[in-house]
Amino acid sequence: MDVRDLSGKTVLVTGAASGIGRETALACARRGARLALCDVNEEGLRRTEADVLALGREVLALRVDVGVKEEMEGFAAAVHRWVPAVDLLVNNAGVGLGARFLDTLLEDWEWIVRINLWGVIYGCHFFVPPMVARGAGGHVVNVSSAAGFLASANLAAYATTKFAVFGLSEALRQELRPHGIGVTAVCPGVINTPIVESSRMRGLAARPEVRQMVVEMYRRRGYGPERVARNILRAVQRNRAVAPVSPEAWGMYFLKRISPEAAAYVNRRMAARLERRAALAP
């Protein structure tokens, strides 16, 4: 899909109130797209909507919980009253959970699977068939994570959902290829977005000083969501199957492919170092 000029195209972005979703929506608006946006954070969503309108673009913005089938079905109905099908679908909405498996509650599993996995499934279920029926191609972006190809013990449930999104994207890419619809699994690394502040934490990570330590680490890293948005559009333009974002994501992606054992060793060392720092946090 050519995204250099999106005039006359419709882009749908979930989780558009902040972070990667917001920046992706604005990047598409700057290229001429009309936007369909949703988020549970209505205040943030209205700010994004206002900024899209200020760029002179059409926008449909609705408060939607992507993990609730009825809400996504209603959102799809509203979008398809507006346009027959979207051209670019960006399933971005997601939540974080910092916890080892033994610290993760069943309610945590239900919560994160509902949003991170079912949200993507619903997005594809309600928006992809009209794209196929229209017969004009398009592209689907599913935001996974570097944790979607390299799991960490400290992110057991989160990694599970992101691995699932990665796998769904691979399967969907094969199925939609004959229809001229590309599919990309976007895999950000350490990105400075509000997700760290809003993530659930269990075990050692639940201490407020540990959360603040992680927030500061992400802030010092300084890799902002606007850079992810640029990488998303570049990946769509090139029809990439997988798009790691940030140097560490690329490094771990290639290391995992070349030597899974070495990747696992590096991953364990990184997790152990973070745990030591957390244990010493004042």
Side-chain angles (χ1 to χ4, degrees):
M1 179 178 172
D2 190 349
V3 295
R4 290 171 295 182
D5 182 356
L6 290 169
S7 301
K9 304 293 186 181
T10 302
V11 177
L12 187 151
V13 183
T14 68
S18 63
I20 294 170
R22 170 182 164 80
E23 294 301 330
T24 301
L26 294 177
C28 291
R30 293 185 190 104
R31 298 189 185 195
R34 67 173 69 90
L35 276 300
L37 309 174
C38 74
D39 204 297
V40 292
N41 176 358
E42 192 160 11
E43 182 179 351
L45 182 64
R46 294 306 159 213
R47 285 197 294 268
T48 304
E49 178 185 29
D51 289 342
V52 171
L53 289 171
L55 290 168
R57 310 304 177 207
E58 296 178 74
V59 58
L60 172 66
L62 296 176
R63 186 202 177 280
V64 176
D65 184 335
V66 297
V68 176
K69 181 182 69 174
E70 292 76 13
E71 293 193 22
M72 283 294 280
E73 187 173 21
F75 181 46
V79 170
H80 293 137
R81 284 193 295 268
W82 192 38
V83 294
V86 302
D87 297 283
L88 173 58
L89 169 64
V90 183
N91 288 308
N92 161 75
V95 292
L97 174 60
R100 288 175 167 259
F101 179 84
L102 294 178
D103 293 321
T104 306
L105 307 176
L106 279 179
E107 65 187 58
D108 294 328
W109 280 100
E110 293 166 354
W111 172 72
I112 200 167
V113 169
R114 179 179 66 81
I115 298 168
N116 286 8
L117 179 54
W118 275 107
V120 175
I121 293 172
Y122 290 144
C124 293
H125 176 80
F126 288 116
F127 293 101
V128 169
M131 295 170 71
V132 172
R134 183 184 55 178
H139 205 97
V140 177
V141 169
N142 293 327
V143 178
S144 177
S145 169
F149 54 76
L150 188 68
S152 167
N154 297 315
L155 297 169
Y158 179 78
T160 297
T161 62
K162 294 304 185 177
F163 263 76
V165 169
F166 194 105
L168 171 61
S169 301
E170 282 197 341
L172 198 60
R173 182 176 175 87
Q174 295 176 30
E175 183 175 349
L176 297 182
R177 183 176 180 179
H179 300 285
I181 298 173
V183 180
T184 300
V186 171
C187 300
V190 178
I191 310 299
N192 185 24
T193 73
I195 193 172
V196 180
E197 297 178 23
S198 62
S199 294
R200 289 187 183 182
M201 301 290 193
R202 302 295 185 200
L204 178 63
R207 293 167 52 197
E209 57 270 28
V210 173
R211 181 192 295 272
Q212 188 57 38
M213 181 194 75
V214 176
V215 169
E216 288 300 323
M217 180 187 74
Y218 274 65
R219 186 173 294 130
R220 287 195 303 272
R221 174 67 180 83
Y223 202 107
E226 70 285 350
R227 299 176 71 177
V228 182
R230 290 197 297 270
N231 276 276
I232 287 175
L233 292 176
R234 185 179 300 118
V236 173
Q237 184 69 37
R238 297 175 179 176
N239 193 23
R240 294 186 58 88
V242 182
V245 180
S246 77
E248 65 273 7
W250 274 106
M252 296 308 289
Y253 178 67
F254 283 121
L255 186 59
K256 177 71 177 288
R257 297 181 70 182
I258 296 167
S259 175
E261 295 82 5
Y265 173 76
V266 171
N267 199 23
R268 288 194 302 272
R269 290 293 300 270
M270 291 170 59
R273 180 182 178 186
L274 184 60
E275 286 188 348
R276 287 195 299 271
R277 290 180 60 190
L280 295 173

